Amino acid sequence: MLTIILLSIACLGATSFLSLFVGHSDRAALAVGTVGSALACLAGIAASLGALIGGEERSLRSAWPLPAGELHVALDALSSFFLVCVFLVSGLAAVYGGGYLRPYIGKRRLAPALFFFNLLVASMAVVAIARDGILFLVAWEVMSLTSFFLVTFESEREETRRAAMTYLIASQLGVILLFVLFALLGRGSGSYDFDILGTVSGRTTGITTVCFLLALVGFGTKAGFWPVHIWLPEAHPAAPSHVSALMSGVMIKMGIYGLLRTLAFLGPPPVWWGAVLIAIGAVSGVAGVVYALAQHDLKRLLAYHSVENIGIILLGIGVGLLGQSQGNAPVAFLGYAGGLLHVLNHGLFKGLLFQGAGSVLHGTGTRDIECLGGLYRRMPTTATMFLIGSVAICGLPPLNGFVSEWMIYVGAFRGGSTLPTGWAVWALASVPALALIGGLAAACFVKAFGVVFLGEPRTGAALDAHEAGWVMRAPMLLGALLCIAIGLWPAGAIRIVAPAAMFLGRMSGAIPNAGSLSAITRVGAVLLALVVLLGLLRLALLRGREFSQAATWGCGYAAPTTRMQYTAASFAQPILPLFGPMIHTRVDEQGPDGYFPEKAHYEEHLGDVAGERVLLPATRLVVRALSRLRPIQQGRLQLYLVYIAVTLVVLLVWQLTGVGR
């Protein structure tokens, strides 16, 4: 299977360069890039799924011409699981992109976008199978740079350029911490090989603690933990929709993979690591969904929900770490399995939602929620797929989001009853956090779906909306079917995540009891049967009767206008004041004056506290401190040559005196 996966990566690399070679024709580049990516992902899914279920563990080493590291790749349960996620979400995004980019033919060069897309998928796959620190970091950098260039697809827009630069800076700050992490890990062993790191790094408690914190911030920057998430709501809306689906659905999960891989070779985890992850997960989950509730841009709303779902994944991993550190295998399994299954589930329903948002943008030309409305009748397939994704992301049965969150709930409750009291409190703290996140997510998607797809069109853009083509609708249909399948057959999903969960918990033997999964299947089947029966009942009652259509929520009023409808701000207004300290609000208001006011104005700007009150002031302090070094930068070549000479002399003295040995 490893050979097939390497061939898939090679195919992605070859078709990326081939799309550049035929780039003089946008149609040819689009065909080569899309077909190559789809075929490579199809082969990659089959191979990684086969390796995961078959328990294949295989490695491959080759000579490496660089002075450090070697070309070492391998498959284990954790790598195979993340490869399934990478190839599945990427394949759906590639096919969707084949239809999404078609209107740009002849208007914009498509070859670079296809080149970077295929290279991004290939780099994520290499990150998952790399077993050498140097190879891992090279693939990580390729992943960051290719996604940066994809975000700049519409670089003529100022907001796109700003979002891309924010993303690039955040990525590079994160990778600096990863360089330090691998330098520390390799210092004791003299090697960057993961097999050697796993046997040496766990011996020194102080080093492992520092490595854990470096991995948490370094990989957390890519994953989008709060408060280092600020690049995410900027970059995801700016990118093309199929790239947004790829970045949100799977690329940010490589941060989760990096953290889990580091934990795997850091040795037995102290119990407080689990408590830290639960605390960060709860804050990320609640903050992400509150910020999402305040958004009026559909893609920005979905981007903040990625922060929320990363928080849910962290809650699961935190519960798993608590169980593992206390030798409680059932709690460890439920926590890890719930978190990993949410990685897969989030990739599916978030990809579906971003594709739905892309179809709305494609059909109306806007992603401003306040300008939409009434799209259900004009875009019925997109609306139905978006509704399925909305139910799934809210964690409601009978869809996949419910299954993964249910497993985290069960793990937290079991931890609360079996762990020592001090740590049981942390496990139980996950329960209200998950419940609050789920309730707020439901409120947010009632707003998003209700304002965008129900009611009456608020502008001409919504009035003239049209459905997307089948090339764009087919991946959405497949994604929705997978969401339903996992929701109705959780036992099958457990078979996929169990090997990786047991690998993380260092468990062997039979899979621990994950609760009554058959009950979920029965409840889901009953709910679906109820929906079908209600539909049939409606058809039977309307048969032979005359009925007419009227304005939604018209309630018999003779002259309703779209201004009488609930707006997105109206939906969120009763909830947001409860979370006032978490939201940076600026209000521009001119109230009505006199008995017959001629005009009034109210505008509310909702900012991100992490960005505007924490990271931005901190950045200003750093810039102010660095500005003190400005005298050494004079713009004179001779001076820079002196700097180089002095540096060489210092290094020579350092080497000759033996300080560096």
Side-chain angles (χ1 to χ4, degrees):
M1 298 300 177
L2 181 59
T3 306
I4 298 176
I5 290 169
L6 290 174
L7 287 174
S8 300
I9 294 171
C11 178
L12 286 164
T15 51
S16 66
F17 284 98
L18 190 57
S19 61
L20 276 186
F21 183 73
V22 300
H24 58 279
S25 167
D26 289 335
R27 291 185 186 279
L30 186 60
V32 168
T34 303
V35 172
S37 182
L39 290 177
C41 289
L42 198 59
I45 292 169
S48 51
L49 200 56
L52 185 63
I53 295 174
E56 177 178 320
E57 293 191 4
R58 187 184 163 201
S59 65
L60 181 67
R61 294 176 186 269
S62 180
W64 180 275
L66 295 178
E70 63 177 346
L71 199 60
H72 181 195
V73 296
L75 272 184
D76 57 22
L78 188 63
S79 295
S80 299
F81 173 76
F82 273 89
L83 284 172
V84 170
C85 300
V86 167
F87 286 125
L88 180 58
V89 177
S90 303
L92 293 174
V95 176
Y96 182 88
Y100 186 83
L101 292 177
R102 195 164 293 172
Y104 292 96
I105 290 177
K107 301 176 183 174
R108 186 186 299 271
R109 284 199 66 206
L110 297 183
L114 294 154
F115 169 78
F116 288 121
F117 184 93
N118 286 13
L119 219 52
L120 171 59
V121 180
S123 63
M124 287 190 291
V126 174
V127 166
I129 62 174
R131 291 297 182 274
D132 182 87
I134 304 299
L135 177 62
F136 181 92
L137 289 174
V138 169
W140 189 270
E141 272 297 84
V142 173
M143 178 177 73
S144 298
L145 292 176
T146 50
S147 51
F148 161 74
F149 285 114
L150 285 169
V151 171
T152 62
F153 180 68
E154 295 180 300
S155 58
E156 71 277 6
R157 299 168 59 190
E158 183 185 352
E159 64 177 35
T160 299
R161 295 195 298 272
R162 186 176 64 247
M165 288 308 298
T166 304
Y167 171 54
L168 184 64
I169 292 170
S171 294
Q172 296 311 302
L173 289 176
V175 86
I176 288 172
L177 298 179
L178 298 186
F179 281 136
V180 179
L181 167 67
F182 281 100
L184 282 177
L185 290 172
R187 181 182 171 84
S189 62
S191 171
Y192 295 104
D193 190 288
F194 285 3
D195 293 343
I196 300 174
L197 293 180
T199 59
V200 175
S201 58
R203 296 175 188 170
T204 309
T205 305
I207 292 294
T208 54
T209 299
V210 174
C211 289
F212 169 72
L213 295 175
L214 285 170
L216 190 63
V217 182
F219 290 120
T221 304
K222 180 65 73 180
F225 300 171
W226 192 93
V228 288
H229 66 283
I230 57 167
W231 66 269
L232 200 149
E234 301 291 333
H236 287 191
S241 293
H242 66 295
V243 176
S244 305
L246 182 67
M247 292 177 70
S248 182
V250 73
M251 192 197 74
I252 62 172
K253 311 298 173 33
M254 302 317 293
I256 297 292
Y257 170 80
L259 179 62
L260 292 175
R261 178 61 67 187
T262 306
L263 290 175
F265 53 66
L266 280 185
V271 66
W272 66 268
W273 289 7
V276 168
L277 290 190
I278 287 174
I280 296 176
V283 173
S284 294
V286 175
V289 72
V290 168
Y291 292 145
L293 197 56
Q295 302 307 313
H296 300 200
D297 182 314
L298 186 56
K299 290 181 71 176
R300 194 175 174 86
L301 179 150
L302 295 177
Y304 269 116
H305 272 286
S306 296
V307 180
E308 171 224 330
N309 280 275
I310 287 293
I312 294 174
I313 292 167
L314 280 187
L315 287 174
I317 296 172
V319 171
L321 276 174
L322 286 181
Q324 183 186 355
S325 61
Q326 295 297 306
N328 192 324
V331 174
F333 177 77
L334 285 165
Y336 284 136
L340 288 173
L341 184 56
H342 206 73
V343 168
L344 174 62
N345 288 341
H346 180 248
L348 289 172
F349 58 64
K350 184 50 71 66
L352 177 60
L353 287 167
F354 264 117
Q355 288 162 5
S359 294
V360 169
L361 178 61
H362 177 270
T364 64
T366 181
R367 58 182 198 233
D368 186 346
I369 296 176
E370 305 288 17
C371 296
L372 299 171
L375 296 187
Y376 197 98
R377 278 173 284 183
R378 292 160 181 80
M379 306 175 67
T381 306
T382 297
T384 305
M385 298 304 106
F386 196 92
L387 179 61
I388 292 173
S390 301
V391 175
I393 199 173
C394 292
L396 298 175
L399 298 182
N400 57 343
F402 171 76
V403 179
S404 47
E405 291 192 26
W406 179 83
M407 293 186 70
I408 299 173
Y409 271 119
V410 174
F413 277 119
R414 196 168 291 185
S417 61
T418 58
L419 293 175
T421 306
W423 303 114
V425 172
W426 283 99
L428 289 174
S430 306
V431 176
L434 267 177
L436 181 59
I437 292 168
L440 291 172
C444 188
F445 276 93
V446 167
K447 161 191 147 177
F449 186 81
V451 176
V452 173
F453 293 101
L454 303 183
E456 298 299 320
R458 291 175 171 78
T459 62
L463 189 66
D464 299 331
H466 58 85
E467 184 62 277
W470 275 107
V471 178
M472 293 169 66
R473 279 183 279 175
M476 288 196 287
L477 281 168
L478 188 53
L481 287 175
L482 289 171
C483 289
I484 296 171
I486 293 176
L488 290 179
W489 193 38
I494 293 300
R495 285 190 62 192
I496 295 175
V497 299
M502 296 184 73
F503 171 85
L504 289 172
R506 294 175 171 79
M507 292 175 267
S508 58
I511 298 174
N513 182 17
S516 181
L517 298 177
S518 58
I520 296 178
T521 303
R522 287 196 296 273
V523 170
V526 169
L527 285 174
L528 277 183
L530 191 62
V531 170
V532 173
L533 284 175
L534 287 174
L536 293 175
L537 179 64
R538 178 179 181 275
L539 288 176
L541 291 175
L542 292 178
R543 180 179 295 173
R545 297 176 61 180
E546 291 186 2
F547 57 89
S548 60
Q549 292 186 345
T552 309
W553 312 122
C555 301
Y557 183 61
T561 71
T562 55
R563 295 186 63 188
M564 297 176 183
Q565 297 180 113
Y566 252 60
T567 63
S570 307
F571 264 101
Q573 196 277 332
I575 301 173
L576 290 179
L578 300 174
F579 300 92
M582 298 178 66
I583 302 172
H584 181 66
T585 307
R586 288 183 290 111
V587 175
D588 180 11
E589 180 179 10
Q590 180 187 352
D593 186 23
Y595 293 109
F596 301 99
E598 294 184 354
K599 61 180 181 179
H601 173 78
Y602 181 86
E603 196 168 343
E604 194 174 67
H605 302 276
L606 300 170
D608 193 323
V609 169
E612 299 193 19
R613 292 186 179 173
V614 180
L615 296 180
L616 194 57
T619 305
R620 287 180 182 143
L621 283 176
V622 172
V623 170
R624 196 176 304 159
L626 292 177
S627 65
R628 297 178 185 277
L629 302 176
R630 194 169 184 80
I632 67 173
Q633 184 178 353
Q634 299 290 335
R636 295 166 59 188
L637 182 60
Q638 296 88 340
L639 193 59
Y640 296 146
L641 290 174
V642 170
Y643 292 158
I644 294 172
V646 170
T647 304
L648 289 174
V649 169
V650 170
L651 289 174
L652 186 61
V653 171
W654 180 63
Q655 184 66 27
L656 290 175
T657 54
V659 177
R661 296 173 188 167

